Amino acid sequence: MEVNKQKEILAIQGMTCANCALGIKKHLDKKGIQQVQVNFATSEATFNKDRNYNTKEVISLINKLGYKANMITDEVESPGLSSIEKKFFFTLIFTLPLFSHMFLPKENFLQNAFVQFFLCLPVFFVGVWHFGKSAYSSLKTGLPNMDVLILMGSSAAFFYSIYGWVLFYGTEQSHHYLFFETTATIITLVLLGNVLEHRSVKQTTTAIRELSEIKTGLAKREVNGEIEETAFDEIKVNDILIVNMGDKIPVDGKVIWGTALIDESMLTGESIPVTKELDETVIGGTIVKSGSIKMRATSVGDDTLLSQIIELVKNAEDNKPDIQSLGDKVSGIFVPIVLLIAILTFFISHYVFG
């Protein structure tokens, strides 16, 4: 018996790296969900839905990992700084003076352990909150990401500084154990990398959103000799549409009456309009510069050329070359190997070399 399958798309918040996407994919694969693709660039997950599980169950599985999954909406991102940018600029305020103490004389107040501790503390809290959630989520998937190492490295420097400060309190030797600036610098620099990555991803999603906006609008449809307005996504195959000068072609179709000059630059890059006459094909999203036509819809919805272009852009990261697939495999074992090396280094240096 054939099982009815439907492609479902979810928006996922909280992914900080491609390894997060890989962890979500592997977790959903283990649960038996079919054709799972998680795209870090667009923050989306796609899968085939059937009667064995529904969308709410898949959302619940992702949310239990510490991420936030929702159905795709048409909401536009609010203007202003993003959450990751706010965290970066907040930590930068404390990190710059803390880092600068390395270039100042010993008499400067920034050399005081109390000052360094209180400058580092808010940065450390932000780092634990931001990287800790991602690290914990990755550990739940069984695929630890780089945030695990970032959290361990910054925490080690922070608590080692406190240990040395307390142990040698009031002595000159205590300054040899202060690495508060290391904690703050690690967190701030990684947040800077996340900001740059966020802006790069934002450019990709903005391009996709702008393409998707071309598919929206109202069209004039002829029904029994009368003209009515209808949304682009409500047009059906074989509907008769009227397109006048300045209008956007709603969907792919064929001219059945009239002549028009159509700007197809969004597809071809050619700025000179193209003449379209009887029985010629027109593409949805292109603009009528002059003339009027009647057209018969031949491709609608996801079957239009514009929809297929958008889908290709979204799936560009899913069609990975061999070198990227190899990179994903290496990243899956990189963190455990680094942790193992760190543990071995500790025990060898402590017990063998004293």
Side-chain angles (χ1 to χ4, degrees):
M1 184 177 68
E2 186 177 351
V3 180
N4 182 31
K5 294 183 178 179
Q6 182 183 358
K7 185 177 180 181
E8 193 73 40
I9 304 176
L10 299 176
I12 302 178
Q13 299 177 15
M15 293 191 295
T16 60
C17 62
N19 219 30
C20 297
L22 185 61
I24 295 173
K25 181 183 185 307
K26 288 192 174 183
H27 180 70
L28 295 180
D29 285 339
K30 289 178 182 177
K31 298 296 182 181
I33 299 171
Q34 299 177 4
Q35 298 297 315
V36 178
Q37 293 291 346
V38 183
N39 193 324
F40 170 64
T42 58
S43 297
E44 291 180 359
T46 61
F47 62 94
N48 282 347
K49 182 176 66 174
D50 62 27
R51 64 187 60 178
N52 295 326
Y53 44 81
N54 56 43
T55 304
K56 288 184 178 179
E57 291 172 337
V58 177
I59 290 176
S60 177
L61 287 172
I62 296 174
N63 290 347
K64 286 179 180 178
L65 295 176
Y67 304 99
K68 187 177 180 181
N70 293 294
M71 298 292 293
I72 292 289
T73 63
D74 294 328
E75 293 182 0
V76 179
E77 186 175 348
S78 57
L81 295 176
S82 64
S83 173
I84 188 66
E85 289 171 327
K86 290 177 182 177
K87 291 175 183 177
F88 166 68
F89 287 117
F90 175 80
T91 58
L92 187 64
I93 293 171
F94 297 95
T95 300
L96 287 177
L98 183 56
F99 183 77
S100 65
H101 91 276
M102 301 172 62
F103 309 99
L104 298 174
K106 293 182 179 181
E107 298 77 18
N108 192 280
F109 77 100
L110 288 176
Q111 302 289 354
N112 187 288
F114 280 102
V115 174
Q116 293 184 28
F117 172 76
F118 285 111
L119 284 174
C120 178
L121 196 59
V123 180
F124 181 68
F125 282 154
V126 171
V128 170
W129 175 253
H130 179 76
F131 299 112
K133 289 194 299 181
S134 173
Y136 178 67
S137 300
S138 71
L139 291 174
K140 288 174 72 175
T141 65
L143 195 68
N145 59 18
M146 289 298 294
D147 290 343
V148 175
L149 298 180
I150 295 165
L151 184 64
M152 290 185 64
S154 57
S155 298
F158 182 77
F159 290 111
Y160 182 78
S161 299
I162 294 176
Y163 170 78
W165 178 27
V166 172
L167 188 65
F168 298 99
Y169 181 76
T171 67
E172 187 68 24
Q173 195 173 358
S174 64
H175 289 279
H176 299 300
Y177 291 86
L178 298 182
F179 295 96
F180 290 119
E181 80 286 346
T182 302
T183 298
T185 304
I186 290 173
I187 293 171
T188 304
L189 286 180
V190 176
L191 285 175
L192 173 60
N194 288 349
V195 167
L196 297 177
E197 189 173 45
H198 168 78
R199 292 184 176 179
S200 175
V201 169
K202 187 177 179 181
Q203 289 179 352
T204 302
T205 55
T206 299
I208 293 173
R209 189 183 302 117
E210 289 174 351
L211 284 173
S212 299
E213 287 174 355
I214 298 175
K215 295 167 49 179
T216 61
L218 293 175
K220 299 181 182 71
R221 178 168 57 187
E222 186 178 276
V223 181
N224 298 325
E226 296 184 357
I227 298 175
E228 64 178 22
E229 287 192 341
T230 183
F232 284 6
D233 55 4
E234 294 178 357
I235 297 172
K236 299 178 181 178
V237 174
N238 292 326
D239 279 355
I240 304 300
L241 306 172
I242 298 174
V243 189
N244 300 317
M245 183 175 66
D247 290 345
K248 187 163 50 178
I249 303 291
V251 294
D252 298 353
K254 186 168 288 189
V255 179
I256 60 173
W257 175 87
T259 303
L261 278 175
I262 297 180
D263 180 3
E264 295 184 339
S265 58
M266 72 149 200
L267 293 173
T268 64
E270 177 56 61
S271 60
I272 300 176
V274 179
T275 302
K276 294 291 182 178
E277 299 177 335
L278 188 65
D279 290 333
E280 291 192 325
T281 300
V282 290
I283 305 299
T286 55
I287 298 173
V288 176
K289 287 294 187 180
S290 67
S292 298
I293 58 172
K294 282 186 181 181
M295 57 173 285
R296 186 186 306 276
T298 57
S299 299
V300 300
D302 293 337
D303 294 329
T304 63
L305 179 60
L306 181 58
S307 295
Q308 293 173 13
I309 292 173
I310 294 172
E311 193 66 19
L312 284 173
V313 174
K314 286 185 175 181
N315 295 334
E317 190 173 282
D318 297 334
N319 301 323
K320 298 176 181 178
D322 292 339
I323 188 65
Q324 188 173 350
S325 298
L326 176 62
D328 288 342
K329 292 179 181 178
V330 171
S331 67
I333 61 173
F334 176 75
V335 174
I337 289 176
V338 171
L339 292 176
L340 180 61
I341 292 173
I343 293 170
L344 288 175
T345 302
F346 170 77
F347 281 106
I348 292 174
S349 62
H350 184 73
Y351 291 104
V352 177
F353 297 104

